[in-house]
Short mmCIF file of all heavy atoms in Angstrom, two decimals:
data_model
loop_
_atom_site.label_atom_id
_atom_site.label_comp_id
_atom_site.label_asym_id
_atom_site.label_seq_id
_atom_site.Cartn_x
_atom_site.Cartn_y
_atom_site.Cartn_z
N ILE A 1 16.50 0.29 -10.97
CA ILE A 1 16.36 -0.26 -9.63
C ILE A 1 15.56 0.57 -8.84
O ILE A 1 14.78 0.07 -7.95
CB ILE A 1 17.89 -0.29 -9.05
CG1 ILE A 1 18.72 -1.44 -9.75
CG2 ILE A 1 17.83 -0.58 -7.61
CD1 ILE A 1 20.22 -1.42 -9.39
N GLU A 2 15.60 1.99 -8.96
CA GLU A 2 14.82 2.79 -8.23
C GLU A 2 13.33 2.59 -8.57
O GLU A 2 12.49 2.65 -7.63
CB GLU A 2 15.13 4.24 -8.44
CG GLU A 2 14.56 5.34 -7.62
CD GLU A 2 15.17 5.37 -6.19
OE1 GLU A 2 16.20 4.74 -6.00
OE2 GLU A 2 14.44 5.98 -5.33
N GLU A 3 12.96 2.41 -9.76
CA GLU A 3 11.64 2.13 -10.12
C GLU A 3 11.12 0.81 -9.60
O GLU A 3 9.95 0.78 -9.13
CB GLU A 3 11.52 2.11 -11.72
CG GLU A 3 11.83 3.54 -12.35
CD GLU A 3 11.80 3.46 -13.88
OE1 GLU A 3 11.91 2.27 -14.41
OE2 GLU A 3 11.72 4.45 -14.50
N LEU A 4 11.98 -0.17 -9.55
CA LEU A 4 11.56 -1.42 -8.92
C LEU A 4 11.25 -1.21 -7.41
O LEU A 4 10.36 -1.96 -6.82
CB LEU A 4 12.66 -2.49 -9.19
CG LEU A 4 12.75 -2.99 -10.74
CD1 LEU A 4 13.96 -3.93 -10.81
CD2 LEU A 4 11.42 -3.71 -11.01
N LYS A 5 12.22 -0.43 -6.81
CA LYS A 5 11.92 -0.22 -5.35
C LYS A 5 10.59 0.43 -5.11
O LYS A 5 9.86 0.20 -4.19
CB LYS A 5 13.07 0.65 -4.80
CG LYS A 5 14.40 -0.19 -4.67
CD LYS A 5 15.56 0.72 -4.03
CE LYS A 5 16.76 -0.03 -3.91
NZ LYS A 5 17.85 0.80 -3.40
N ASP A 6 10.27 1.41 -6.11
CA ASP A 6 9.02 2.18 -5.98
C ASP A 6 7.81 1.20 -6.12
O ASP A 6 6.80 1.30 -5.32
CB ASP A 6 8.93 3.28 -7.07
CG ASP A 6 9.87 4.35 -6.83
OD1 ASP A 6 10.45 4.47 -5.67
OD2 ASP A 6 10.00 5.10 -7.76
N GLU A 7 7.95 0.21 -6.93
CA GLU A 7 6.79 -0.69 -7.10
C GLU A 7 6.69 -1.56 -5.93
O GLU A 7 5.65 -1.90 -5.39
CB GLU A 7 7.19 -1.59 -8.45
CG GLU A 7 6.83 -0.83 -9.80
CD GLU A 7 5.63 -0.26 -9.88
OE1 GLU A 7 4.58 -0.97 -9.57
OE2 GLU A 7 5.46 0.90 -10.37
N ARG A 8 7.95 -2.06 -5.34
CA ARG A 8 7.88 -2.73 -4.08
C ARG A 8 7.28 -2.02 -3.09
O ARG A 8 6.41 -2.46 -2.27
CB ARG A 8 9.22 -3.17 -3.68
CG ARG A 8 9.33 -4.11 -2.46
CD ARG A 8 10.75 -4.06 -1.90
NE ARG A 8 11.21 -2.75 -1.50
CZ ARG A 8 12.42 -2.38 -1.14
NH1 ARG A 8 13.30 -3.26 -1.09
NH2 ARG A 8 12.64 -1.13 -0.79
N ASP A 9 7.59 -0.73 -2.87
CA ASP A 9 7.08 0.18 -1.91
C ASP A 9 5.50 0.25 -1.95
O ASP A 9 4.81 0.23 -0.92
CB ASP A 9 7.71 1.50 -1.91
CG ASP A 9 7.09 2.50 -1.02
OD1 ASP A 9 7.05 2.22 0.15
OD2 ASP A 9 6.57 3.59 -1.44
N ARG A 10 5.02 0.34 -3.29
CA ARG A 10 3.63 0.55 -3.39
C ARG A 10 2.85 -0.79 -2.90
O ARG A 10 1.84 -0.65 -2.24
CB ARG A 10 3.25 0.82 -4.82
CG ARG A 10 1.78 1.02 -5.06
CD ARG A 10 1.51 1.32 -6.54
NE ARG A 10 2.07 2.68 -6.96
CZ ARG A 10 1.87 3.14 -8.14
NH1 ARG A 10 1.11 2.55 -9.03
NH2 ARG A 10 2.24 4.38 -8.44
N ALA A 11 3.55 -1.80 -3.27
CA ALA A 11 2.80 -3.09 -2.91
C ALA A 11 2.82 -3.33 -1.43
O ALA A 11 1.93 -3.78 -0.76
CB ALA A 11 3.51 -4.32 -3.65
N GLN A 12 4.03 -3.02 -0.76
CA GLN A 12 4.04 -3.19 0.58
C GLN A 12 3.12 -2.28 1.36
O GLN A 12 2.45 -2.69 2.36
CB GLN A 12 5.54 -2.88 1.13
CG GLN A 12 6.54 -4.00 0.76
CD GLN A 12 7.96 -3.67 1.25
OE1 GLN A 12 8.36 -2.39 1.46
NE2 GLN A 12 8.75 -4.68 1.38
N ALA A 13 2.97 -0.98 0.84
CA ALA A 13 2.12 -0.07 1.53
C ALA A 13 0.79 -0.48 1.42
O ALA A 13 -0.12 -0.42 2.48
CB ALA A 13 2.33 1.40 0.85
N GLN A 14 0.24 -1.09 0.28
CA GLN A 14 -1.09 -1.49 0.24
C GLN A 14 -1.35 -2.72 1.04
O GLN A 14 -2.33 -2.78 1.69
CB GLN A 14 -1.41 -1.80 -1.30
CG GLN A 14 -2.81 -2.22 -1.45
CD GLN A 14 -3.21 -2.27 -2.97
OE1 GLN A 14 -2.43 -1.78 -3.88
NE2 GLN A 14 -4.30 -2.84 -3.41
N ALA A 15 -0.44 -3.57 1.13
CA ALA A 15 -0.58 -4.86 1.98
C ALA A 15 -0.63 -4.49 3.40
O ALA A 15 -1.42 -4.95 4.23
CB ALA A 15 0.63 -5.74 1.76
N GLN A 16 0.22 -3.43 3.83
CA GLN A 16 0.09 -2.95 5.29
C GLN A 16 -1.20 -2.23 5.60
O GLN A 16 -1.66 -2.36 6.55
CB GLN A 16 1.39 -2.17 5.55
CG GLN A 16 2.63 -2.97 5.70
CD GLN A 16 3.85 -2.08 5.60
OE1 GLN A 16 3.76 -0.88 5.50
NE2 GLN A 16 5.06 -2.70 5.61
N GLU A 17 -1.56 -1.47 4.59
CA GLU A 17 -2.94 -0.78 4.79
C GLU A 17 -4.00 -1.77 4.98
O GLU A 17 -4.92 -1.56 5.79
CB GLU A 17 -3.22 0.11 3.61
CG GLU A 17 -4.47 1.00 3.76
CD GLU A 17 -4.31 1.95 4.93
OE1 GLU A 17 -3.17 2.40 5.32
OE2 GLU A 17 -5.32 2.33 5.47
N LEU A 18 -3.99 -2.81 4.16
CA LEU A 18 -5.09 -3.85 4.31
C LEU A 18 -5.03 -4.57 5.66
O LEU A 18 -5.95 -4.83 6.33
CB LEU A 18 -4.90 -4.95 3.18
CG LEU A 18 -5.26 -4.42 1.76
CD1 LEU A 18 -4.83 -5.49 0.73
CD2 LEU A 18 -6.73 -4.22 1.71
N ALA A 19 -3.76 -4.92 6.05
CA ALA A 19 -3.52 -5.50 7.44
C ALA A 19 -4.00 -4.54 8.48
O ALA A 19 -4.72 -5.02 9.51
CB ALA A 19 -2.04 -5.86 7.62
N LYS A 20 -3.66 -3.24 8.41
CA LYS A 20 -4.10 -2.33 9.42
C LYS A 20 -5.71 -2.22 9.52
O LYS A 20 -6.33 -2.10 10.43
CB LYS A 20 -3.49 -0.94 9.24
CG LYS A 20 -3.74 0.01 10.28
CD LYS A 20 -3.05 1.34 9.98
CE LYS A 20 -1.54 1.19 10.10
NZ LYS A 20 -1.08 0.93 11.48
N ALA A 21 -6.24 -2.22 8.24
CA ALA A 21 -7.71 -2.15 8.16
C ALA A 21 -8.40 -3.33 8.85
O ALA A 21 -9.47 -3.15 9.59
CB ALA A 21 -8.23 -2.04 6.71
N LEU A 22 -7.80 -4.51 8.76
CA LEU A 22 -8.36 -5.71 9.33
C LEU A 22 -8.23 -5.58 10.83
O LEU A 22 -9.15 -5.92 11.66
CB LEU A 22 -7.71 -6.93 8.79
CG LEU A 22 -8.01 -7.33 7.29
CD1 LEU A 22 -7.09 -8.43 6.94
CD2 LEU A 22 -9.50 -7.66 7.26
N ALA A 23 -7.03 -5.10 11.23
CA ALA A 23 -6.84 -5.00 12.73
C ALA A 23 -7.77 -4.01 13.41
O ALA A 23 -8.26 -4.19 14.49
CB ALA A 23 -5.33 -4.56 12.97
N PHE A 24 -8.13 -2.94 12.79
CA PHE A 24 -9.04 -1.93 13.34
C PHE A 24 -10.48 -2.06 12.94
O PHE A 24 -11.21 -1.26 13.40
CB PHE A 24 -8.50 -0.53 13.06
CG PHE A 24 -7.25 -0.17 13.75
CD1 PHE A 24 -6.01 -0.28 13.23
CD2 PHE A 24 -7.24 0.21 15.09
CE1 PHE A 24 -4.82 0.06 13.86
CE2 PHE A 24 -6.03 0.57 15.79
CZ PHE A 24 -4.85 0.46 15.12
N GLY A 25 -10.79 -3.06 12.13
CA GLY A 25 -12.12 -3.28 11.72
C GLY A 25 -12.75 -2.19 10.85
O GLY A 25 -13.95 -1.86 11.05
N ARG A 26 -11.95 -1.53 10.03
CA ARG A 26 -12.43 -0.48 9.21
C ARG A 26 -12.19 -0.78 7.70
O ARG A 26 -11.23 -1.52 7.42
CB ARG A 26 -11.83 0.84 9.53
CG ARG A 26 -10.34 0.91 9.42
CD ARG A 26 -9.83 2.27 9.92
NE ARG A 26 -8.37 2.26 9.89
CZ ARG A 26 -7.56 2.57 8.85
NH1 ARG A 26 -8.18 2.86 7.77
NH2 ARG A 26 -6.30 2.61 8.96
N PRO A 27 -12.86 -0.15 6.73
CA PRO A 27 -12.59 -0.44 5.36
C PRO A 27 -11.16 0.03 4.95
O PRO A 27 -10.63 1.01 5.52
CB PRO A 27 -13.64 0.37 4.66
CG PRO A 27 -14.70 0.66 5.62
CD PRO A 27 -14.02 0.70 6.90
N ALA A 28 -10.55 -0.69 4.16
CA ALA A 28 -9.17 -0.35 3.76
C ALA A 28 -9.15 0.74 2.73
O ALA A 28 -9.93 0.86 1.91
CB ALA A 28 -8.51 -1.58 3.18
N GLU A 29 -8.20 1.67 2.83
CA GLU A 29 -7.96 2.75 1.91
C GLU A 29 -6.87 2.36 0.91
O GLU A 29 -5.73 2.58 1.18
CB GLU A 29 -7.62 4.04 2.64
CG GLU A 29 -8.73 4.48 3.60
CD GLU A 29 -8.15 5.75 4.30
OE1 GLU A 29 -7.84 6.79 3.67
OE2 GLU A 29 -8.07 5.77 5.56
N VAL A 30 -7.29 1.54 -0.05
CA VAL A 30 -6.25 1.08 -0.97
C VAL A 30 -5.88 2.08 -2.03
O VAL A 30 -6.52 3.20 -2.08
CB VAL A 30 -6.65 -0.31 -1.62
CG1 VAL A 30 -6.88 -1.28 -0.51
CG2 VAL A 30 -7.97 0.00 -2.31
N ASP A 31 -4.93 1.81 -2.82
CA ASP A 31 -4.37 2.76 -3.83
C ASP A 31 -5.35 2.76 -5.03
O ASP A 31 -5.16 2.03 -6.02
CB ASP A 31 -3.06 2.40 -4.29
CG ASP A 31 -2.42 3.37 -5.19
OD1 ASP A 31 -2.97 4.45 -5.29
OD2 ASP A 31 -1.33 3.08 -5.76
N VAL A 32 -6.42 3.55 -4.91
CA VAL A 32 -7.45 3.69 -5.94
C VAL A 32 -7.40 5.11 -6.58
O VAL A 32 -7.34 6.03 -5.76
CB VAL A 32 -8.82 3.37 -5.40
CG1 VAL A 32 -9.98 3.49 -6.52
CG2 VAL A 32 -8.82 1.93 -4.80
N GLU A 33 -7.43 5.31 -7.78
CA GLU A 33 -7.41 6.55 -8.43
C GLU A 33 -8.72 7.28 -8.09
O GLU A 33 -9.76 6.68 -7.92
CB GLU A 33 -7.31 6.36 -9.99
CG GLU A 33 -6.12 5.68 -10.48
CD GLU A 33 -4.82 6.44 -10.15
OE1 GLU A 33 -4.94 7.71 -10.03
OE2 GLU A 33 -3.74 5.88 -10.19
N THR A 34 -8.63 8.58 -7.94
CA THR A 34 -9.76 9.50 -7.68
C THR A 34 -10.57 9.65 -8.94
O THR A 34 -11.68 10.29 -8.86
CB THR A 34 -9.36 10.76 -7.04
OG1 THR A 34 -8.43 11.46 -7.94
CG2 THR A 34 -8.61 10.56 -5.72
#
């Protein structure tokens, strides 16, 4: 259950980052490996 919550959290964080990027007109900082 904890692992599933982590996956949900990651997806939500990425979606919110994309939404924030659109709102402020800047490139999104998505979860990309360095």
Side-chain angles (χ1 to χ4, degrees):
I1 290 171
E2 189 75 16
E3 291 174 349
L4 288 173
K5 287 181 178 178
D6 289 348
E7 291 300 320
R8 180 198 63 186
D9 172 56
R10 180 180 293 187
Q12 287 179 338
Q14 185 166 345
Q16 289 167 357
E17 185 63 28
L18 290 168
K20 189 179 288 292
L22 291 173
F24 287 99
R26 59 183 175 85
E29 298 178 60
V30 296
D31 186 11
V32 178
E33 300 294 339
T34 57

